[in-house]
Amino acid sequence: MANHKSSLKRIRQTESRRLHNRYYAKTARNAVRNLRKITVKAEAEAAYVKIEAMLDRLASKKAISKNKAANLKSKLAHHIAKLAA
């Protein structure tokens, strides 16, 4: 167990950040999963705009890595491009 006040505070901060990041990463995963289920191209494109912004925001706040955000956006764009118009 930590002995310094600063160490105890750092432990508290780390735990709260971990829970915060976990919540938003899970929300993003659910949004991506829901977009992959959409079969209508117009609906998928509308949802993609919001999800793209969400992924960029999470990457900038380091809840997920920037490469993961880029990979997800690329795969989702590819998925939408394959949908029939």
Side-chain angles (χ1 to χ4, degrees):
M1 186 64 200
N3 293 320
H4 297 280
K5 284 177 77 172
S6 61
S7 298
L8 295 170
K9 181 178 179 182
R10 181 62 63 191
I11 290 168
R12 290 194 307 271
Q13 287 176 331
T14 303
E15 179 64 13
S16 63
R17 286 185 185 136
R18 184 185 72 83
L19 293 173
H20 183 267
N21 290 342
R22 189 173 135 194
Y23 170 78
Y24 284 104
K26 180 67 173 177
T27 303
R29 279 197 304 274
N30 288 336
V32 167
R33 191 176 301 128
N34 291 337
L35 189 138
R36 286 189 177 132
K37 289 180 184 175
I38 297 174
T39 56
V40 180
K41 189 168 189 167
E43 288 179 28
E45 288 173 341
Y48 178 73
V49 173
K50 292 180 182 177
I51 292 174
E52 183 180 26
M54 178 194 300
L55 292 172
D56 286 335
R57 199 164 38 251
L58 289 174
S60 70
K61 295 184 178 190
K62 297 184 174 53
I64 62 173
S65 75
K66 63 179 182 171
N67 286 344
K68 177 157 182 78
N71 288 338
L72 284 171
K73 290 191 300 185
S74 174
K75 287 177 183 175
L76 291 174
H78 184 69
H79 169 73
I80 292 171
K82 287 196 303 185
L83 291 176

